[in-house]
Amino acid sequence: MQAPRDPLPRRLARGRRLARWALAWEEAWPRLWPILGVVGLFLVAALSGLFLYLPGWLHLLVLVGFALALGWAAWRGLRGFVVPLTTAADRRLERESGLSHRPLSTLSDRPATDSDPMALALWQAHRARAAAAVEQLKVGLPRPGLPARDRRGLRLGLLVALVAALVVAGPETSERLRRAVQPAFGAPVPPPSLRLEAWISPPAYTGAAPVFLPPEGGSVTVPAGSRLQVALSGGRGGVPELRLGETATPFRALDAGSFTAEVPLDAGARIGVRRDGQDLAHWTIATQADAPPRIVFAEPPGPAQRGLAIRLPWRAEDDWGLANARAEITLAPRPDAPPLALELPISGDSKQPRGVAQPDLSAHPWAGLPVRVRLVARDNAGQEGHSDTAELTLPERRFEHPVAQRLVELRKSLSLDPLARRGVERGLDELSLRPEDFEHDLTTFMALRSARYHLTYDRRREAVEEAQALMWQTAIALEEGRANRTARALAEAREALREALAEAERQPPDAERRAELERRVQELREAVRQHLEALAEQLQRENGDTMPQDPQARLMDPQELDRRTQEMQDAAREGRTQDMQQQLAELERMLEALQNGQVARREGGNRNSQQQQRQQRGQQQMGAIQDMVQREGQMLDRSHQREQAEAGQPQQQQRRSPYGQQRQQQPQAGATTPEQRAAEAQRDARQQRALRRALGELMQQFGDLTGEIPEALGRADQQMRQAQEALGQGGDPTPHQQQAIRELQEGAQQMAQTMQRQFGQGQQGQEPGEGQGEASRGQGREPGGGQGRDQAMGQGEGRDPLGRPTRSEPNSNDTGSDTVVPGDAEALRTRQIQEELRRRGADRERPPSELDYIDRLLKTF
């Protein structure tokens, strides 16, 4: 009895079908490629317009040639093509699946006899094993092997040519294909359509866009110096010519059918394009000459309301915009002297700029002398305009010291007549012969003799200016006194040490940085010593006695100074920056306490009404600084939103500023157009200019109030100027705005410290740890200092370093004795945390949630 046959699995049937298709494709594709190549060549020729230029008989011959080539390629390619059989499909499946011993043949075979049960059982086991081997059949991708036949890659070149022909044909694709298969007999080949383009490029200094002329003609007015360019292509005829009035200029040929011409337009004329005696187009061009700029004084110049600056209000106008503006100041008694040029900043609209310059020339050699001022404006074409000349006297600084007054007078005489050196030399000799007039100061004597010999033996013109500078520095030093000079040197040494410590914190201190820290500590030690000597001399001159033995003076005992500076040097040598900061904080507290004691003694411990008014003005100015920080933060937000809108990032609808309260909802910058963002940037540039001008006035007012201008505010002014330029030029202002915010905050701290030193008490409205400087820090005791040092300094047991009773002192009636004074480490750490929070809050790239958290932390301080 014959055993029943197992049906073939469906996957085997599907695999055989796919294998036959793959084998058919591998066999057919190399045969079809020559046919497709002939068709591709025909399409390239048709789309590129080749058949449009062929006469009818040649067009027909080319078509016949393509038809013969197509027939030959089809006959050669399809000849001998057979459909793959099932056996070939099985062999492919076995080869791609990695099967050996042809298991598919086993599934198709039958046993020779079915009479032997043992043989039949063995055959069924063999089929089962073969069926298990073909569980995972693979067909594989077709591999026609065309790269082996086309080793030069001609098929890729044909594909690129076909794509290029499609781009060239453009909207004429269907028409060119139709014309390619329909030869035109007897009809002339139409020429390419005529195309005429003309435009005028204004001069580069105008910044104006090119003006395109309509082909049908017309009239237009352009700036003088523009250039006309005409391009002509297509049509039939000879070389065209460009007629400018009565002058004809032939076109320059670019190829067989394209021409171009270019002429300058210095005057108005009628312009035409002619070809073979026929006018193709004509225009009437009028030119407008560039007028020189105009600049005038908006108000008569004069001294500023505050300070020693002069006020120069001005306004200007130009048809295409100013390149720069300046004020030229000449000395009235010496019209032949080289003028002093002061640049006038131009911001915003350069066609009608205006502004108010307030330069401080009180230190210039012409201070106190009559001068003439003239404004000069220059446009981008190099033309200049001048204002009327105004006369005024430059403000000068008033000196109280008699030697300083005499030096300023001699300096003025050299400004009036640089050749009159003899009289100045005699005046310097007279001052040198009376050393008691300048307290027998050796530095002053050497400066006087140096200026004298400068004038005597150095015959250069620059020698007069160098001598004048030396006399001015000597006068300033005499007026300020040694105590002020040493105080300024001490402040510079403290600032240098703080910068070195900050650098050491950012990077691990190596041997070079440790040596630098040691050197800075030694300079601070020497500056402190000289300042103490100067204060002792000042008190001896004023009171006829030595420095009083009060607790503040005992704080600066030389032995205590040596101990602290030695500990700072040891910490610098070992790289212990944290200990150095604590020691520096304690030293600065002692110095500021001494300064406050000096101020208190000079003022008698009482504050009059004028001082209270100055204190109130200082508080108002600090409030104005905080308002500037908020306004700068708002502009930073808008800059950040514009940057994200240009990058296509989503914007936040509402966020909290780390410089103020929660801001109002603003429209998403991503929904605005580039024109709107550019207009908003220009508005911000004008606001930045106004904010910078307000900062300049505030700096001047604070300088008049305290005599000091924080350096951080000057750096903030520079950052605002760079941000304003970036906004006006379409650049990125965010780095400059972020730095301006940091500098404004640092400037507010410096203002508070200055007011603390001068008024002797904290300012209202300040954050804890801000503005009060290290003078308000607690007094942590050093290890090993103990009770002995307190007693040595005259403070006694139970009192803090400022001499106030502590809670442990019995019978203390001080109502504030229960106040816990933080130590130096806590105060220093608090200040570091505040600075780090402000730095992170100024980074507008941080997520809104983090900015909100930073804002809440800042409020807790």
Side-chain angles (χ1 to χ4, degrees):
M1 179 178 179
Q2 187 177 1
R5 298 178 181 177
D6 294 334
L8 291 175
R10 292 184 179 179
R11 59 178 174 275
L12 179 57
R14 179 174 174 272
R16 283 175 172 173
R17 184 169 59 253
L18 293 176
R20 293 181 65 185
W21 288 352
L23 292 172
W25 177 255
E26 292 177 352
E27 181 69 20
W29 178 241
R31 297 173 181 270
L32 291 175
W33 177 245
I35 303 173
L36 296 178
V38 174
V39 175
L41 288 176
F42 175 77
L43 291 176
V44 170
L47 295 175
S48 62
L50 176 63
F51 293 104
L52 301 179
Y53 297 94
L54 298 179
W57 63 270
L58 184 56
H59 188 170
L60 182 59
L61 287 179
V62 173
L63 286 178
V64 171
F66 271 108
L68 293 176
L70 182 62
W72 180 81
W75 174 81
R76 180 179 176 86
L78 300 178
R79 184 185 60 177
F81 175 76
V82 294
V83 178
L85 300 177
T86 303
T87 305
D90 289 346
R91 301 291 80 77
R92 179 183 179 90
L93 288 173
E94 293 170 348
R95 183 173 61 254
E96 294 295 333
S97 303
L99 302 177
S100 59
H101 307 298
R102 296 188 178 184
L104 295 180
S105 300
T106 301
L107 295 177
S108 302
D109 289 344
R110 298 178 181 178
T113 178
D114 53 359
S115 58
D116 187 359
M118 292 295 295
L120 185 58
L122 183 61
W123 174 251
Q124 292 298 333
H126 180 58
R127 279 177 57 87
R129 184 179 299 174
V134 299
E135 285 293 333
Q136 300 293 334
L137 292 178
K138 296 181 181 178
V139 179
L141 296 176
R143 293 185 292 273
L146 192 59
R149 302 186 181 187
D150 182 17
R151 297 183 180 277
R152 298 183 180 274
L154 298 179
R155 62 191 186 282
L156 298 180
L158 179 60
L159 181 61
V160 173
L162 183 59
V163 173
L166 283 170
V167 174
V168 171
E172 300 178 358
T173 300
S174 59
E175 180 63 21
R176 292 191 178 188
L177 291 176
R178 186 187 64 81
R179 296 280 299 275
V181 297
Q182 294 181 358
F185 295 96
V189 178
S193 59
L194 181 66
R195 178 178 297 177
L196 177 64
E197 295 179 346
W199 65 94
I200 298 176
S201 300
Y205 68 84
T206 64
V211 179
F212 290 88
L213 303 178
E216 61 272 13
S219 59
V220 67
T221 301
V222 296
S226 302
R227 298 190 69 83
L228 170 67
Q229 292 178 276
V230 183
L232 187 145
S233 61
R236 285 184 176 178
V239 178
E241 62 181 10
L242 180 65
R243 300 187 65 85
L244 182 61
E246 300 298 330
T247 305
T249 303
F251 278 66
R252 178 169 55 89
L254 299 177
D255 54 31
S258 301
F259 305 90
T260 183
E262 181 178 355
V263 292
L265 300 176
D266 296 325
R270 180 180 174 85
I271 298 175
V273 179
R274 294 176 62 88
R275 190 176 195 179
D276 296 338
Q278 181 183 2
D279 289 337
L280 301 180
H282 60 83
W283 305 275
T284 301
I285 307 297
T287 58
Q288 179 181 2
D290 184 18
R294 295 175 294 278
I295 186 169
V296 296
F297 287 104
E299 298 175 11
Q305 296 181 355
R306 296 183 180 87
L308 299 176
I310 59 174
R311 191 171 183 271
L312 303 176
W314 62 278
R315 67 173 183 267
E317 183 180 355
D318 188 68
D319 44 7
W320 295 109
L322 292 182
N324 56 70
R326 67 182 185 275
E328 292 184 350
I329 303 177
T330 57
L331 189 60
R334 287 179 55 207
D336 57 335
L340 172 64
L342 301 176
E343 291 294 329
L344 302 178
I346 299 176
S347 58
D349 184 13
S350 62
K351 294 185 178 180
Q352 293 181 342
R354 60 178 60 238
V356 178
Q358 297 191 29
D360 187 353
L361 300 178
S362 59
H364 196 272
W366 295 353
L369 299 176
V371 295
R372 297 187 179 97
V373 184
R374 184 183 68 165
L375 304 178
V376 181
R378 182 184 181 90
D379 61 11
N380 291 291
Q383 302 181 100
E384 289 188 349
H386 307 84
S387 69
D388 296 333
T389 301
E391 296 186 359
L392 73 155
T393 300
L394 293 180
E396 63 176 334
R397 177 174 176 173
R398 300 299 179 185
F399 291 88
E400 301 296 335
H401 198 285
V403 178
Q405 293 177 353
R406 179 58 176 161
L407 286 174
V408 172
E409 292 176 0
L410 296 175
R411 182 170 173 257
K412 282 185 184 178
S413 64
L414 282 177
S415 298
L416 294 173
D417 187 5
L419 300 179
R421 301 190 181 190
R422 291 293 183 184
V424 179
E425 293 172 2
R426 288 193 297 270
L428 293 174
D429 289 338
E430 293 174 0
L431 293 176
S432 303
L433 293 176
R434 295 195 300 272
E436 63 278 1
D437 292 346
F438 47 85
E439 295 83 25
H440 297 274
D441 184 62
L442 181 60
T443 303
T444 303
F445 177 80
M446 296 300 297
L448 294 175
R449 302 313 298 166
S450 177
R452 198 269 188 199
Y453 284 106
H454 233 65
L455 296 175
T456 303
Y457 298 106
D458 194 343
R459 310 312 300 178
R460 297 178 298 118
R461 294 180 56 183
E462 294 79 4
V464 175
E465 299 177 0
E466 295 172 358
Q468 286 179 314
L470 187 56
M471 286 188 283
W472 174 257
Q473 296 172 1
T474 306
I476 292 294
L478 289 171
E479 185 68 18
E480 291 181 350
R482 184 186 176 190
N484 290 337
R485 294 197 303 271
T486 55
R488 187 169 59 251
L490 177 58
E492 293 176 355
R494 290 161 60 185
E495 182 64 26
L497 181 56
R498 279 196 294 267
E499 292 179 357
L501 281 173
E503 181 67 23
E505 282 187 348
R506 287 192 294 269
Q507 299 179 2
D510 52 10
E512 182 179 356
R513 290 190 180 90
R514 288 195 293 269
E516 177 69 13
L517 288 175
E518 252 189 291
R519 185 175 65 84
R520 295 295 185 186
V521 171
Q522 182 61 31
E523 291 177 356
L524 177 63
R525 180 178 183 177
E526 183 65 21
V528 171
R529 185 188 62 78
Q530 293 181 2
H531 184 55
L532 290 178
E533 292 179 357
L535 288 178
E537 293 176 1
Q538 180 180 359
L539 288 175
Q540 187 175 5
R541 289 195 305 267
E542 292 177 355
N543 304 327
D545 197 358
T546 58
M547 291 183 65
Q549 300 297 323
D550 58 3
Q552 304 294 350
R554 285 192 293 271
L555 285 173
M556 298 305 295
D557 183 74
Q559 295 180 357
E560 179 70 10
L561 172 65
D562 290 339
R563 184 187 66 81
R564 292 195 178 276
T565 52
Q566 184 61 43
E567 290 181 358
M568 293 177 68
Q569 286 182 339
D570 294 341
R573 191 177 301 109
E574 299 172 4
R576 294 183 282 109
T577 58
Q578 188 72 18
D579 294 343
M580 290 189 64
Q581 288 181 344
Q582 295 179 2
Q583 293 290 342
L584 180 60
E586 178 65 17
L587 186 61
E588 288 181 340
R589 182 200 63 78
M590 296 160 62
L591 291 172
E592 291 181 2
L594 179 62
Q595 179 67 24
N596 293 336
Q598 295 294 324
V599 173
R601 281 193 296 271
R602 287 195 300 267
E603 296 180 354
N606 299 322
R607 296 187 179 273
N608 52 26
S609 59
Q610 181 180 5
Q611 181 178 1
Q612 294 177 357
Q613 294 176 0
R614 294 177 61 196
Q615 180 179 353
Q616 185 177 6
R617 286 172 52 194
Q619 293 174 356
Q620 294 174 354
Q621 292 168 2
M622 291 185 63
I625 287 291
Q626 297 300 328
D627 182 66
M628 288 183 184
V629 171
Q630 294 182 4
R631 294 178 181 273
E632 192 71 28
Q634 293 171 2
M635 286 191 291
L636 177 60
D637 281 346
R638 292 195 292 271
S639 301
H640 183 64
Q641 291 173 359
R642 286 194 299 271
E643 181 180 357
Q644 287 187 336
E646 293 175 358
Q649 299 178 2
Q651 303 296 315
Q652 296 292 334
Q653 290 287 339
Q654 194 171 15
R655 67 192 309 175
R656 181 179 293 272
S657 167
Y659 313 106
Q661 301 299 326
Q662 189 174 16
R663 299 198 179 134
Q664 297 180 356
Q665 185 173 359
Q666 298 178 354
Q668 290 186 359
T672 60
T673 62
E675 291 78 12
Q676 291 174 340
R677 292 196 295 270
E680 182 181 287
Q682 293 300 324
R683 288 195 300 269
D684 280 358
R686 292 191 293 270
Q687 183 177 355
Q688 186 73 77
R689 177 184 60 192
L691 194 62
R692 181 185 171 213
R693 186 179 302 170
L695 177 61
E697 294 177 358
L698 189 142
M699 291 167 60
Q700 181 178 353
Q701 294 174 6
F702 190 80
D704 296 340
L705 178 66
T706 63
E708 300 181 16
I709 298 179
E711 297 180 358
L713 296 185
R715 296 193 294 268
D717 180 81
Q718 296 178 359
Q719 295 297 329
M720 287 183 178
R721 177 179 60 80
Q722 296 178 4
Q724 174 188 338
E725 294 175 354
L727 286 168
Q729 299 173 0
D732 182 15
T734 52
H736 307 298
Q737 291 173 337
Q738 291 176 353
Q739 186 64 27
I741 291 175
R742 300 190 188 100
E743 298 297 348
L744 285 174
Q745 293 173 339
E746 180 65 20
Q749 271 191 310
Q750 295 177 3
M751 290 172 65
Q753 293 173 358
T754 301
M755 295 175 65
Q756 166 68 22
R757 290 195 305 271
Q758 295 192 5
F759 299 139
Q761 65 182 25
Q763 307 303 325
Q764 299 177 359
Q766 299 173 13
E767 297 176 359
E770 249 184 77
Q772 299 176 7
E774 286 75 7
S776 62
R777 296 178 180 168
Q779 322 303 327
R781 296 190 178 186
E782 297 294 330
Q787 179 180 353
R789 278 200 310 271
D790 291 343
Q791 294 175 351
M793 291 188 294
Q795 295 167 346
E797 183 180 2
R799 291 184 174 270
D800 65 7
L802 293 180
R804 297 174 298 192
T806 62
R807 288 179 295 179
S808 61
E809 183 180 6
N811 302 327
S812 174
N813 297 324
D814 189 3
T815 58
S817 60
D818 59 344
T819 302
V820 179
V821 181
D824 288 342
E826 291 81 359
L828 181 61
R829 184 58 179 166
T830 301
R831 184 175 181 181
Q832 291 176 345
I833 293 175
Q834 285 179 320
E835 293 176 354
E836 179 64 20
L837 287 175
R838 290 192 181 90
R839 184 186 68 80
R840 295 188 181 185
D843 186 2
R844 310 308 300 165
E845 300 291 339
R846 297 183 178 274
S849 58
E850 183 177 350
L851 293 177
D852 293 342
Y853 179 65
I854 292 175
D855 186 25
R856 293 194 299 271
L857 287 178
L858 283 173
K859 288 182 178 180
T860 62
F861 285 95

